[in-house]
Amino acid sequence: MAVFDKIQQAVEQGDPRRVNKLIDQALLESDPDSQYTLAEWLADIGYVEEAVKVLEHLQFLFPEESQLAIDRAGLLIEIDREDDALEVLTSIPEGDEQYPQALVVLADLFQTQGLLEAAERRLDEAIRLLPDEPLLLQAKAEVLLESGRYLESARLYTDLLAAEIEIPGVNLSERLAEVYSAGAAYEEALPYYEQALKEQSSPDTLFGAAYSAFQSAQYETAIRYAEELTAMDPDYFSAYLLRAESLNMMGDYSASYEAATEGISRDEYNKELYLFAGKLALKLGRETEGEAHLRQAIALDPEYMDAIQTLIALLHAQERSEDVLELAEAAVSNETDWAALYPAIAAAYEATEQYGKAADYYGRAYPAFREDAEFLSNYARFLLEEGRQEQARQVIDELLVLEPGHPDWADWHQSAE
């Protein structure tokens, strides 16, 4: 049996010690081309350390072959030996034929480390050497995108697209659309998403088009793309919420609710869908269903502030003070700052005649709600009823600043004197 067949058999048997022993044998017995093929195969199946070992041997035999160094550096990066990769790459001299490729790999290394300026410098140097190489321009566009320089990235992609450049595995229209979307230029992104869809339709491209249409207030277009997406992939759950949101913006609340509940039937662990369905049910006057959806959202995430606030507001409006306290006490028990809930908690304690706790929560809410006339009004009334005239005067003074013409505040101020 040939040594390469033995290596494959050892890999299939999960025997790494025998694999390494057979690799050593292959390095002694086989020709360099076969060894290079072995390195590629080992890397492809995840035996990266072993592939590096083979390339190190080949580089010892052929120190002038810079491509071997570049290949080895790429594998070293994969196994987090970045310092070793850097040493290998910087050893390639500027006049070497493979120097531009080494610069690209260096740029990739710096980019993964978050050193975007260093990555851009290496790419600029490579572009100076090979100004017409589209892969370098595309690589720079990606670095600019990651740096948040969206317009510069878009310009490079626009130039590549205008030149009718083809880059294997890259849809330039889609990348340009994604660059515009990343910079929140959704109206500019939408035509490029549509162009990309003409070239090849995919779930992610459809969602990008739908989302860009939604952000551009083109709700019918957003709905159309979202429906195409769920027809292509019924488990692309974000599309259901996006369709529901679009229908809601068009004022079709019943259809919006149906879209949200359809999404829930596909993804029963999506708290955002439960929250949205809950809010729509309340908008439609279906309070029982709304409460059920909101409670399910909270069951999925006990610290889901938006759902908790919405449900507490419902319970407060229904004067279900005990239920408010049960929900609120569970929420605030983890000592997180839940200031947004404090006014409702204070009102619930007041309604259940637990005045000490009501005073505590009114006081907790006060710093965050000093610009809220409704809260200040409730707080001032409570303080007056509790005989806390000095505190009441302070709150009423703030009410007079917010609503100086209100007839009640002056009377309350006199009551507090």
Side-chain angles (χ1 to χ4, degrees):
M1 183 184 292
V3 65
F4 293 131
D5 293 332
K6 292 178 181 178
I7 293 172
Q8 185 174 0
Q9 185 181 70
V11 167
E12 291 171 353
Q13 293 171 348
D15 189 346
R17 291 183 62 185
R18 186 160 180 263
V19 169
N20 276 285
K21 185 176 179 180
L22 290 166
I23 287 173
D24 290 338
Q25 181 182 339
L27 296 181
L28 291 172
E29 297 177 359
S30 59
D31 62 86
D33 286 342
S34 298
Q35 291 175 22
Y36 188 78
T37 301
L38 173 62
E40 289 182 313
W41 178 73
L42 289 168
D44 286 343
I45 64 172
Y47 278 67
V48 182
E49 292 275 7
E50 291 77 6
V52 168
K53 176 181 175 180
V54 176
L55 290 175
E56 284 175 346
H57 170 77
L58 286 168
Q59 199 170 5
F60 175 77
L61 296 177
F62 305 101
E64 74 285 356
E65 289 290 339
S66 300
Q67 186 61 56
L68 293 171
I70 292 169
D71 292 343
R72 183 158 67 95
L75 295 180
L76 288 168
I77 293 170
E78 282 189 35
I79 55 177
D80 297 325
R81 289 171 56 185
E82 295 176 348
D83 290 342
D84 293 334
L86 184 61
E87 183 179 349
V88 171
L89 291 167
T90 53
S91 70
I92 299 172
E94 184 172 346
D96 193 286
E97 184 180 355
Q98 303 301 325
Y99 182 65
Q101 187 181 352
L103 289 171
V104 173
V105 179
L106 266 174
D108 286 342
L109 172 57
F110 289 137
Q111 189 172 355
T112 60
Q113 294 175 328
L115 303 172
L116 300 179
E117 289 184 9
E120 185 181 353
R121 284 198 299 272
R122 300 309 184 281
L123 288 172
D124 284 340
E125 187 177 355
I127 291 168
R128 177 179 60 80
L129 296 170
L130 298 172
D132 298 322
E133 175 51 61
L135 287 173
L136 296 177
L137 297 173
Q138 196 246 344
K140 182 174 179 180
E142 289 298 310
V143 170
L144 292 170
L145 171 60
E146 192 169 340
S147 302
R149 292 154 64 186
Y150 306 114
L151 288 177
E152 294 175 69
S153 179
R155 267 197 297 272
L156 279 178
Y157 270 120
T158 300
D159 290 344
L160 288 169
L161 197 59
E164 298 184 352
I165 298 294
E166 291 188 8
I167 298 176
V170 179
N171 185 318
L172 291 174
S173 296
E174 184 173 7
R175 287 307 297 144
L176 182 53
E178 289 167 352
V179 170
Y180 277 127
S181 291
Y186 297 108
E187 287 191 45
E188 290 82 356
L190 184 56
Y192 290 104
Y193 274 122
E194 291 174 336
Q195 179 59 41
L197 287 169
K198 290 176 184 176
E199 297 168 21
Q200 183 177 3
S201 183
S202 71
D204 288 342
T205 311
L206 280 167
F207 184 79
Y211 187 76
S212 294
F214 176 80
Q215 293 293 340
S216 304
Q218 299 181 48
Y219 302 119
E220 291 183 357
T221 302
I223 291 165
R224 174 165 55 84
Y225 283 130
E227 288 175 343
E228 288 182 32
L229 172 50
T230 52
M232 177 183 290
D233 182 359
D235 290 332
Y236 204 107
F237 304 128
S238 301
Y240 295 99
L241 181 57
L242 186 57
R243 179 156 60 96
E245 289 174 332
S246 300
L247 288 162
N248 178 59
M249 294 301 293
M250 293 178 66
D252 193 344
Y253 305 129
S254 295
S256 177
Y257 180 65
E258 288 176 11
T261 54
E262 182 184 352
I264 289 170
S265 71
R266 303 293 310 187
D267 180 14
E268 59 185 12
Y269 300 106
N270 190 318
K271 66 178 185 179
E272 286 84 6
L273 276 169
Y274 281 109
L275 172 62
F276 197 75
K279 289 182 174 180
L280 279 167
L282 297 182
K283 191 179 288 188
L284 293 166
R286 297 155 73 166
E287 294 185 352
T288 301
E289 293 172 53
E291 180 178 344
H293 290 312
L294 293 169
R295 288 193 181 277
Q296 187 59 48
I298 296 165
L300 291 169
D301 180 0
E303 296 183 7
Y304 196 9
M305 169 65 85
D306 200 353
I308 292 169
Q309 278 189 273
T310 304
L311 181 52
I312 282 181
L314 171 65
L315 298 174
H316 181 62
Q318 295 176 337
E319 299 183 354
R320 293 163 58 184
S321 298
E322 296 288 351
D323 291 335
V324 168
L325 293 176
E326 180 183 357
L327 179 62
E329 287 172 349
V332 301
S333 62
N334 60 7
E335 299 183 0
T336 304
D337 183 10
W338 293 86
L341 303 180
Y342 294 161
I345 298 174
Y349 276 128
E350 183 181 1
T352 55
E353 300 182 358
Q354 299 179 66
Y355 300 118
K357 290 183 177 180
D360 177 36
Y361 274 97
Y362 272 123
R364 292 194 202 185
Y366 180 52
F369 287 85
R370 297 183 73 163
E371 301 296 322
D372 187 319
E374 182 180 358
F375 167 77
L376 292 177
S377 172
N378 289 331
Y379 190 24
R381 175 194 46 73
F382 174 79
L383 291 169
L384 287 171
E385 291 175 356
E386 289 294 294
R388 304 184 185 191
Q389 268 72 16
E390 186 174 344
Q391 286 180 267
R393 276 198 303 274
Q394 179 183 344
V395 176
I396 296 165
D397 284 341
E398 294 182 30
L399 275 169
L400 286 167
V401 172
L402 289 176
E403 297 183 355
H406 197 289
D408 291 341
W409 309 154
D411 293 341
W412 283 20
H413 201 282
Q414 288 180 351
S415 301
E417 292 177 353

